[in-house]
Structures are given as C-alpha cells and as structure tokens.
Amino acid sequence: MQFEIMRDRLLDGLSDVIKAISHKVTTPILTGIKLEATEKGLTMTGSDSDITISTFIPLEEDGTQIIRMIQPGTLVLQAKVFNEIIRKLPTNEVMIELRDGMKTHIRSGQSEFHIIAQSADEYPILPDVKDAERFELPADLMKSIIRETVFAVSQQETRPVLTGVQWTMKEDELYCIATDSHRLARRIITPEVQASIPFNAVIPGKSLQELSKILPDHSNPVEIFIANQQVLFKLHNVLFYSRLLEGNYPDTSRLIPNEYKTSITVNGRNLLQAIDRASLLAREDRNNIVHFSTDGSSHIQISSNSPDVGNVEELVEAVQIEGEPLKISFSAKYMMDALKAIDGQDLMIHFTGSMRPFILKSIDSEAILQLILPVRTF
Amino acid sequence: MQFEIMRDRLLDGLSDVIKAISHKVTTPILTGIKLEATEKGLTMTGSDSDITISTFIPLEEDGTQIIRMIQPGTLVLQAKVFNEIIRKLPTNEVMIELRDGMKTHIRSGQSEFHIIAQSADEYPILPDVKDAERFELPADLMKSIIRETVFAVSQQETRPVLTGVQWTMKEDELYCIATDSHRLARRIITPEVQASIPFNAVIPGKSLQELSKILPDHSNPVEIFIANQQVLFKLHNVLFYSRLLEGNYPDTSRLIPNEYKTSITVNGRNLLQAIDRASLLAREDRNNIVHFSTDGSSHIQISSNSPDVGNVEELVEAVQIEGEPLKISFSAKYMMDALKAIDGQDLMIHFTGSMRPFILKSIDSEAILQLILPVRTF
C-alpha cells in the first residue's frame, strides 16, 4: 500500500471516524482504524462494536486532487496515535506507505514515522443492513430530533431498552420517543420519503449523540436504513452504523394525559431562567426540587429552599392561566431540559393535578411534547 | 447592612475574589466571602488561608454610580452560592440587605433570595505585611515572569520549598528561580523601583498561578510588599496576599554550566514542533524520552521509539552548530516547557556533554535561562 494524501482532508475524515473509537474496547483490533486504499480513494473505518463509522475520501474533490494512489492495499493503524501524528505533521503533503511486513511509513516534510500496523484480516466486516427499511430526513432536522429527545433517555442500565430512543413509523408518521420513566420526550415527524412498511426500532442514546456530532447543519438528506439489529445513517461520504437495542419498549401512549385542569401559556425563556435560579438552592439539597404554584393572579410563583443555605422566590408573568389554581413540585433539571428542548418563545403547560404527569408543548406546533412526572411535596 | 449595586461590576469583583476560595478548606468560615460595606464602597475578601484576595468596589467609577449605600455593615456569604446567584440574576440592579438576624436578602427584578449569612466576627483578619520590602513591576512583565518560571516548580510535596519560586533581590537585580531538581527556570529583571534592602522569598507556585489569572495585560505597576511570612501584590483595587514558603531554597548557581562543548543556534518553533511530534511515541512508553544528536551536518536529528508502536525520526535545520558532535537524551516534556517559556524565534542551546545539564537562552537576551538535566540512554 502506498499513497500520498492532503493532510487537512485526511484529518477531516479522521475526525469523523475517531468518534467511534472507545477507550473501553475489549477487542484489541478495535483500538485501530482500518484504512482501505483502492483505485477510487481511501476508506477509513472505526468501530467500538456498538457504533461503526466509515468515511470515504475520493482521489479528487471539486476538481482538486486529494490523493495520489500509488499502490492500493489495506491495514489497521492505532487510532489515537495515527490521529495525533497526522494532526501534528509539518506539511500538508503526507505519504503513507506499508513496507517491510507490517511497518507503515508516514512521511511529511523532514518528519518520518514508522508505525507498526495490524493486519486488516482481523478487522470486523461492516454490519449487515440487507432487507432494511429505507427513508430520508434532512440532516438539520435529524439534529433537532436528537436534541429534542435524547436527553430524556435513562442513564441507568437496569432497563437497557430505556437507554435508547424509540423510533416508530406508523401511519406515515415517525414517532421518536425517549423516557427514563420520570419524564418523556416525544417528537413526531412526517418524512418526505416514506419507509415502505412500518417499523419499530430503539436506537441507543449514545449512538444518537455521536451521530449528532457528525451531522452537518444543512438540510441535505440523510438516508436511514433500519434493519433487524442495525441502523445505518448514510451521509455524503460517511456511513454511520449503530446496533439497535433489544427488548420491548414500554407503551408510553397511555401516559400522556389529554384532559387538563390547569393550562398555562408562558414565555419559555423567562420560565427557564427563573427555574435555573431557583435550582441554585434546590441543588444544595441534592434533590433538585422546585415548587411551582398559581394563585389566581397572572403570575406563576416558583420557589425552592435549602435548610442550610436559604430560600428563593421567583415571580414569572404568564401570558395566560386557565383553569384551577395549582401547587406542584418537580425536578428543576427535568423542567430545564424540557424547556431547552422546546426552545421556542411562548409555550403551553397542561396540568391535570399536582400528582399527575404534566406536559409542555410549543404554542405553534404539536410536533414536540415533553412530559414530566411531579414529585410529592405540597 | 443594605446597598444597591450594579450586578456586572459586582460579578467582576467576585470573579477575582472567588479565585482564593478552595473546595478543600478545613475552616468552614473560609467557604464564604466577607462583604464589608462602608460609606466609601464595598470590600470583598476571599481566602484559603494560603492565598487571600481582597477587592474594593467604590461607590462611583468613571463618573458612573456603581453602589447606592443605604446602611453600612459586614457579613460573610457562602462563596459558591453567592457567586452563582449574582451571575444568574435577571437585571443589572441588585439590592443586598441584611435583616432578621443573619438572613440576607438579594433582590433583582422579580427574583428574591433569602440567604443565611455568617457573622464576619469569625473571619480572619488580613495578613500582616508591616515592615515589608516594597518594589514595583509592570503587571504584564509580572505575568511573563510567572509564565517563564512557574512551570518548573516541583509538583511533589517531599521538599515543600521546591514547590515555590524563589524571588531574590541582589545587586539591584531580581532573580526568579524555579526548579524541581530535574530542570530549572531562571528569569532576571531589573525593577525600576528598587527594594530598599535585599530580600530572599519563596512564593508558592500555586499562588503565582492564581495571581497570573488576575493580573491585567497592561503595563500599569503592581506594588509588591515582601514581609517575613507574607507577600502582598497590590493592583488597582485588588490586594493579593500569599504566604511564603519556609525552608532553605537550594543554591542553584553552581548548577549552571559556563563552559560549553557544543553550542547550537536553532529556530525555537521548529524545534518545539519536532520534539512535540517525537514525543507522540515517547509518551506511549510513559518515560517521555527523546533522543537528540548532531553528526557534523547542519541538521539536528531528533528521534524516539516505542517498542509496541514504532519509531519516529525528525530532522531540524539548525542556524549554526559549533563544537563537538553530540548525542543526548532528555524528557520531551521538559524541553517543550522550556522552549515555550523562551517563546522567541531563534535561541541557543549550550551543551557540556551528554551527561551534563544543558541550558537554553534566547539569542537576544540573557534574561531568561532554562536548564535541563539529561537522561542516560545513549
């Protein structure tokens, strides 16, 4: 194997692939990146066995020569060392050459590295996504969907299926749902290109977080292939595979109330800042609980206290308050997460009593719903 | 106590004082910040007993009213909570009021905190710097001095005096020296305002690092008062006290060679980058050793190897190489620290053989000297 490549483009590709490399990997070959040099270009693959990322660099891009291919071949190089070497090389021209068995020479300017490679024979093949359901979403919309749901997945491994986000296609709508059983985030989307048949998959939250870092901010389509045990997100020149979580995702539809006793319209940013301040003292007690009440006036009262430190009272002017007066307590963190996910100006909060789950929605759209279970304190 | 204050200016002051607050403090009162409101303004003090920082906010600054003083008084508030509350308040006007015993009310817009204060009676008095030697240095020069020396202090508590930087005034010159017994950094300055008599003080490295964060980037003078057990750095509106380290600082003057067998002039940035690359493999072996040699040509060879990963060879073009050919090995980290401290373009390295300490100097100035002990490998 021998080729010359532009360092900056190689670094771009590496920055994607390296996101799949884990420090905790048990299979030694997975500490490496697989390089496949062909007459068409260079493919690099990294994996931690849950996530696999593969990126392709063509010989030429936009009329500029990126790679001069002298001899195709494949090998595996230690990911961390390879990435750092490339990052620190003195010039933009890099020659990579395998000779003398498994010794790989990396030359740039007056700098020459000789790195021991591993054989690509041991490297796992790419996951199988044959017979997958296929649909498309714009990249920036996918980024939003992830941001609006993934924070609500469970951080505990006691129910592994809850560490993922459930993606379900039914009646031409894609439902993305995450819950840790104390709160729930739901996003509904109508994809322009439909999957041929309904599907139901639970994608690990961690995979979606890594994917989000790679997704560009423009609206170019991402192709999504959902197979039996794997999902593939196909971007321009990048393939992102993730395993799917097994197990039955709970039926969350019954959780969501559709009758309300108190409905409040309020500016999301004002409410977020007031909860954030109240949580300064809530946090001191480590339970992170704030109290929320209405008294018939146009204000919401938010308060919290910590016996050792003191207490705080906030008034937030509501746009509208309908229904019964309310006293309720909840986790400041959950409320702040939900408010950040909605990220709009005005939003509605619907309550069904102080011990029942309540929901938050944008006033403009039904697409995002956040649900939070209260805590008994009043 | 009651006063109204501009939030942004209060935050500025807090950001200085909070640097003295430690999480590891054993005296509970030192988790707090002392507020002293007088007819002249507000003084805030924080301390971890090694470092004490005191900042003063006058009633008026540049013709703008900063504080409206209603009732002078003193109290101590939990540093972390107080700082976070002020940072998140909704408006720039903050009312701070002590009433009902030790309950402190912090009001801003529709937000009201009630925080339990502590009595200032328990708060330690400021360190005593009577009979101190006084001299001045420009703030930006002090920042440079700290940057050029403090990295070389010992990180180990086995010889506590080596965790500080020795400041010695002799023959109208200030010598600042740090050594961890494997390398040494020395900076010589001629202050414009002399101390009346010579002194010798060892300032904790940690204190200098914190001071450096507070020092402005302009050349306004900092007054320095060196007393028996304390040093005070007096900036505009800020007093920074540090205890001095006890114990005899070793006589380092004999360490510095003044006869050389090989002298090399080289571009510091090129050498730094080559060592940085070589250290990528050196680091893998955790000993962080690189090899440096000359062979009569105009190049320096730098190399390192890690049996598991591979090896690297770098050539650096020297400006001039005088004297005997040389093979020497040293810590890549120490060399990079020294090169960063000199921070110039061309520099000289003087060697006295492969097992003797070598020194680095700027070609423009004798003011900065860096010394490194080699490692036996060749």
Side-chain angles (χ1 to χ4, degrees):
Chain A
M1 185 176 95
Q2 188 179 3
F3 61 92
E4 201 175 77
I5 186 166
M6 294 292 106
R7 189 192 61 154
D8 295 350
R9 184 62 185 84
L10 178 56
L11 266 185
D12 278 354
L14 273 172
S15 77
D16 288 342
V17 174
I18 203 107
K19 291 189 174 66
I21 307 292
S22 163
H23 297 288
K24 287 183 270 178
V25 105
T26 45
T27 328
I29 193 83
L30 293 185
T31 61
I33 288 175
K34 181 180 171 191
L35 278 74
E36 288 176 271
T38 69
E39 296 296 348
K40 290 183 178 167
L42 174 69
T43 302
M44 294 191 289
T45 306
S47 176
D48 69 355
S49 81
D50 284 345
I51 297 172
T52 300
I53 302 174
S54 188
T55 184
F56 175 72
I57 304 173
L59 300 186
E60 211 181 284
E61 248 172 9
D62 305 327
T64 307
Q65 189 176 14
I66 307 292
I67 300 174
R68 191 165 66 84
M69 188 60 62
I70 299 161
Q71 174 73 49
T74 59
L75 55 78
V76 175
L77 288 174
Q78 282 293 310
K80 196 168 140 271
V81 168
F82 181 53
N83 186 51
E84 285 199 57
I85 289 171
I86 300 301
R87 194 159 57 84
K88 293 191 169 171
L89 286 178
T91 75
N92 198 25
E93 282 88 52
V94 183
M95 176 70 84
I96 298 180
E97 183 184 0
L98 182 69
R99 59 169 198 246
D100 322 334
M102 291 314 282
K103 213 151 204 185
T104 308
H105 303 261
I106 302 173
R107 266 196 312 279
S108 172
Q110 304 248 45
S111 174
E112 181 156 2
F113 284 83
H114 316 280
I115 302 294
I116 301 159
Q118 289 175 273
S119 161
D121 297 348
E122 290 174 52
Y123 201 87
I125 54 167
L126 287 179
D128 179 12
V129 289
K130 274 201 306 279
D131 307 318
E133 297 306 318
R134 179 188 167 286
F135 65 105
E136 285 183 15
L137 288 174
D140 48 1
L141 175 60
M142 278 207 48
K143 236 178 160 153
S144 300
I145 296 170
I146 294 172
R147 188 180 60 76
E148 289 151 5
T149 53
V150 78
F151 65 88
V153 302
S154 173
Q155 303 304 319
Q156 263 130 42
E157 285 293 337
T158 43
R159 282 181 76 187
V161 78
L162 293 189
T163 63
V165 182
Q166 183 193 38
W167 285 33
T168 312
M169 184 78 78
K170 53 183 174 189
E171 291 157 20
D172 291 350
E173 285 187 318
L174 175 67
Y175 284 69
C176 301
I177 295 173
T179 180
D180 61 5
S181 75
H182 303 290
R183 40 115 172 237
L184 176 146
R186 186 185 76 186
R187 178 74 158 93
I188 305 175
I189 310 101
T190 310
E192 287 177 26
V193 180
Q194 308 296 339
S196 50
I197 48 166
F199 62 79
N200 183 355
V202 184
I203 307 171
K206 191 175 159 293
S207 301
L208 291 170
Q209 276 158 345
E210 291 303 323
L211 173 64
S212 183
K213 293 177 193 162
I214 288 179
L215 286 170
D217 284 318
H218 55 60
S219 61
N220 285 9
V222 177
E223 286 181 272
I224 302 157
F225 299 83
I226 295 192
N228 214 359
Q229 298 177 342
Q230 290 281 336
V231 56
L232 162 62
F233 300 93
K234 195 170 175 183
L235 290 73
H236 177 66
N237 283 342
V238 177
L239 305 178
F240 186 106
Y241 295 86
S242 168
R243 75 178 172 98
L244 297 176
L245 291 172
E246 288 174 30
N248 289 321
Y249 201 85
D251 176 13
T252 53
S253 59
R254 287 166 307 144
L255 267 176
I256 299 163
N258 37 31
E259 287 187 335
Y260 317 125
K261 291 189 176 162
T262 313
S263 289
I264 298 174
T265 309
V266 63
N267 178 283
R269 217 172 78 97
N270 291 351
L271 183 58
L272 177 60
Q273 290 177 349
I275 302 264
D276 191 14
R277 282 191 294 272
S279 82
L280 286 176
L281 297 197
R283 220 181 300 156
E284 287 298 308
D285 258 12
R286 287 167 190 249
N287 56 10
N288 209 10
I289 301 301
V290 296
H291 313 298
F292 180 110
S293 61
T294 63
D295 61 358
S297 78
S298 64
H299 284 94
I300 301 162
Q301 288 100 40
I302 291 159
S303 65
S304 80
N305 68 79
S306 156
D308 296 338
V309 184
N311 61 299
V312 49
E313 287 153 28
E314 298 275 340
L315 284 186
V316 180
E317 181 84 32
V319 177
Q320 194 172 32
I321 302 183
E322 291 174 287
E324 302 174 4
L326 173 84
K327 278 179 190 288
I328 194 167
S329 303
F330 47 76
S331 153
K333 179 178 183 306
Y334 289 172
M335 188 59 151
M336 288 195 286
D337 285 346
L339 289 168
K340 284 176 198 162
I342 296 183
D343 191 27
Q345 286 302 304
D346 287 354
L347 54 88
M348 294 198 71
I349 315 179
H350 298 295
F351 298 92
T352 328
S354 66
M355 286 317 300
R356 303 290 304 279
F358 61 94
I359 58 175
L360 292 87
K361 285 182 185 178
S362 163
I363 57 161
D364 302 320
S365 150
E366 294 280 314
I368 308 177
L369 176 142
Q370 301 288 338
L371 175 145
I372 297 172
L373 268 69
V375 173
R376 189 191 298 268
T377 61
F378 274 113
Chain B
M1 187 176 92
Q2 187 178 4
F3 60 93
E4 200 175 77
I5 186 166
M6 293 294 106
R7 189 191 62 152
D8 295 349
R9 184 64 185 84
L10 178 56
L11 265 185
D12 278 354
L14 273 173
S15 76
D16 288 341
V17 173
I18 203 108
K19 292 190 173 65
I21 306 292
S22 163
H23 297 288
K24 286 182 272 178
V25 105
T26 45
T27 328
I29 193 84
L30 293 185
T31 60
I33 287 176
K34 181 180 170 189
L35 278 75
E36 288 177 271
T38 69
E39 296 297 348
K40 289 183 178 166
L42 174 69
T43 301
M44 294 190 290
T45 305
S47 176
D48 69 356
S49 82
D50 284 345
I51 297 172
T52 301
I53 302 175
S54 187
T55 183
F56 176 72
I57 304 173
L59 300 187
E60 212 182 282
E61 248 172 9
D62 306 325
T64 307
Q65 188 176 13
I66 306 292
I67 300 174
R68 190 166 65 86
M69 187 60 64
I70 299 161
Q71 174 73 47
T74 61
L75 55 79
V76 175
L77 287 175
Q78 282 294 310
K80 197 168 142 270
V81 168
F82 182 52
N83 187 50
E84 285 199 57
I85 289 171
I86 300 301
R87 195 159 57 83
K88 294 191 169 173
L89 286 178
T91 75
N92 198 24
E93 282 89 51
V94 183
M95 176 69 86
I96 298 180
E97 183 184 0
L98 182 70
R99 57 169 200 245
D100 321 334
M102 291 314 282
K103 213 150 203 187
T104 307
H105 302 261
I106 302 173
R107 265 197 312 278
S108 172
Q110 304 249 43
S111 174
E112 182 155 2
F113 284 83
H114 316 280
I115 302 294
I116 300 157
Q118 288 175 276
S119 162
D121 297 348
E122 289 174 52
Y123 201 86
I125 55 167
L126 287 179
D128 179 12
V129 290
K130 274 203 306 277
D131 306 320
E133 297 306 318
R134 178 188 168 286
F135 66 105
E136 285 183 13
L137 289 175
D140 49 1
L141 175 62
M142 279 207 47
K143 236 177 160 153
S144 299
I145 295 170
I146 294 171
R147 189 181 59 78
E148 289 151 5
T149 54
V150 78
F151 66 88
V153 302
S154 172
Q155 303 303 320
Q156 262 129 44
E157 285 293 338
T158 43
R159 281 183 74 187
V161 79
L162 293 188
T163 64
V165 182
Q166 184 193 38
W167 284 35
T168 313
M169 185 76 79
K170 53 182 175 192
E171 291 157 20
D172 290 350
E173 285 188 317
L174 176 67
Y175 284 70
C176 301
I177 295 172
T179 180
D180 61 5
S181 75
H182 303 291
R183 39 110 173 242
L184 175 147
R186 187 184 76 186
R187 178 72 160 94
I188 304 175
I189 309 102
T190 310
E192 288 178 25
V193 180
Q194 307 297 337
S196 49
I197 46 165
F199 62 79
N200 183 355
V202 184
I203 307 171
K206 191 177 159 293
S207 300
L208 291 170
Q209 275 157 344
E210 292 302 324
L211 173 63
S212 183
K213 294 177 194 163
I214 288 179
L215 285 169
D217 284 316
H218 55 60
S219 62
N220 285 9
V222 176
E223 287 181 90
I224 302 157
F225 299 82
I226 295 192
N228 214 0
Q229 299 178 339
Q230 290 281 336
V231 56
L232 162 62
F233 300 93
K234 195 171 174 182
L235 290 74
H236 177 67
N237 282 342
V238 178
L239 305 177
F240 186 106
Y241 295 85
S242 168
R243 76 178 171 97
L244 297 175
L245 291 172
E246 288 174 32
N248 289 321
Y249 201 84
D251 177 11
T252 54
S253 59
R254 288 165 307 143
L255 267 176
I256 298 163
N258 37 33
E259 286 185 338
Y260 317 125
K261 292 190 177 161
T262 313
S263 288
I264 297 174
T265 310
V266 63
N267 177 283
R269 218 172 76 99
N270 291 351
L271 182 59
L272 177 60
Q273 290 178 349
I275 303 262
D276 190 14
R277 282 191 294 272
S279 82
L280 286 177
L281 297 197
R283 219 180 300 153
E284 287 298 307
D285 258 11
R286 286 167 191 249
N287 57 11
N288 209 10
I289 301 301
V290 296
H291 314 298
F292 180 110
S293 61
T294 63
D295 60 0
S297 79
S298 65
H299 284 93
I300 302 163
Q301 288 97 42
I302 291 159
S303 65
S304 80
N305 69 78
S306 155
D308 296 337
V309 184
N311 61 299
V312 50
E313 286 152 29
E314 298 275 341
L315 285 186
V316 180
E317 181 84 32
V319 177
Q320 194 171 31
I321 302 184
E322 292 174 287
E324 302 174 5
L326 173 83
K327 278 179 191 289
I328 195 167
S329 304
F330 48 75
S331 152
K333 180 180 183 303
Y334 290 173
M335 188 59 153
M336 289 196 285
D337 285 347
L339 290 168
K340 284 177 198 161
I342 295 181
D343 191 26
Q345 286 304 304
D346 287 354
L347 53 88
M348 296 197 71
I349 317 180
H350 298 295
F351 297 92
T352 329
S354 66
M355 287 316 299
R356 303 290 304 279
F358 60 94
I359 58 175
L360 293 87
K361 285 181 185 180
S362 164
I363 56 160
D364 303 320
S365 149
E366 293 280 313
I368 308 178
L369 176 142
Q370 301 288 338
L371 176 145
I372 297 172
L373 268 69
V375 173
R376 190 191 298 268
T377 62
F378 274 112

